[in-house]
Amino acid sequence: MNRIQKSKEFAEECLKDIDSAHGIKHAETTANFAKIVSEKENINTELCIITALLHDIGRSKTWKQETIEDNHGVDGAKKAKDFLFSLELSNEEVDMICEAISQHCFPNIQTNQISKILRDSDKLNSFSKEMKLEYIKYWKEKGWDDEKITEQIKKEREFYFKTFYTKTAQKIAKENFTV
């Protein structure tokens, strides 16, 4: 079994109790975007896909106020570290992936190319028709009405479009999905 498949299985196990807007479907969609963006940007595609699959494994079922120092990305990086070494990745590769996972929750703090690809790929989910339905379901479960959901989607898309690192992500958002 290859490293991507092992990462997917590990992510599935970690995310099995997480809501559909942030669970394995979201991780797989993020990984698909990471593949496309990393190939176009000429960044290590395997590492970007692995990072995308694992990026939300630190999520918990209960919501907490997140800060740059304390968030599900930081928790996920800690959870991922031993697993990543089991894939026989180098220390440098593990450090880059963990750094990317820990930095993905907030814009403008990404320090390496993998973290930038992850941030863009994660936020491209907001432009995905498939994930839009998951987000609508998620917000409806929280009691939001259609008007509030529509406004939230619009606001997120506008913000994410402005904070994409790569021209590839901007192009994907602009050409393939309704902004």
Side-chain angles (χ1 to χ4, degrees):
M1 182 182 318
N2 69 33
R3 295 191 285 204
I4 291 173
Q5 186 59 37
K6 288 178 183 177
S7 298
K8 181 181 175 189
E9 288 180 6
F10 182 70
E12 283 177 312
E13 180 60 29
C14 293
L15 296 169
K16 68 182 176 195
D17 296 326
I18 304 300
D19 63 80
S20 62
H22 301 101
I24 192 63
K25 187 174 183 180
H26 167 73
E28 290 173 330
T29 303
T30 303
N32 289 336
F33 284 127
K35 181 180 188 306
I36 294 164
V37 175
S38 65
E39 287 174 349
K40 294 274 189 198
E41 298 292 325
N42 200 26
I43 307 297
N44 186 313
T45 299
E46 180 189 40
L47 295 185
C48 288
I49 292 170
I50 290 169
T51 305
L53 287 167
L54 302 178
H55 81 281
D56 274 345
I57 64 170
R59 283 199 175 272
S60 68
K61 289 179 80 169
T62 55
W63 185 87
K64 72 175 185 175
Q65 181 67 42
E66 296 191 325
T67 66
I68 290 175
E69 296 82 24
D70 182 23
N71 61 69
H72 71 273
V74 171
D75 296 341
K78 291 175 189 171
K79 198 172 191 178
K81 196 166 196 162
D82 287 338
F83 169 75
L84 292 167
F85 279 122
S86 79
L87 297 178
E88 299 181 5
L89 294 169
S90 71
N91 287 341
E92 181 183 14
E93 290 168 328
V94 170
D95 288 346
M96 282 192 310
I97 291 171
C98 289
E99 186 174 284
I101 293 170
S102 70
Q103 294 175 348
H104 87 274
C105 299
F106 296 93
N108 304 317
I109 63 169
Q110 289 65 39
T111 55
N112 68 53
Q113 288 299 330
I114 291 174
S115 64
K116 291 174 183 180
I117 300 293
L118 173 59
R119 175 77 185 170
D120 283 2
S121 301
D122 186 30
K123 299 314 167 196
L124 279 168
N125 275 275
S126 271
F127 296 84
S128 163
K129 292 173 187 167
E130 181 179 72
M131 285 308 297
K132 180 181 174 184
L133 298 175
E134 295 300 328
Y135 295 136
I136 290 170
K137 178 181 164 189
Y138 172 75
W139 287 317
K140 282 194 179 281
E141 288 171 358
K142 299 224 174 285
W144 290 24
D145 64 29
D146 290 343
E147 187 177 323
K148 186 174 181 180
I149 292 170
T150 300
E151 186 58 34
Q152 178 69 20
I153 291 170
K154 182 181 176 200
K155 189 168 72 172
E156 282 185 4
R157 286 179 174 185
E158 288 171 358
F159 177 74
Y160 296 151
F161 191 81
K162 291 176 190 173
T163 60
F164 283 136
Y165 283 100
T166 64
K167 296 218 181 288
T168 303
Q170 289 175 347
K171 183 177 179 184
I172 290 169
K174 193 178 226 178
E175 292 179 358
N176 297 317
F177 304 106
T178 307
V179 179

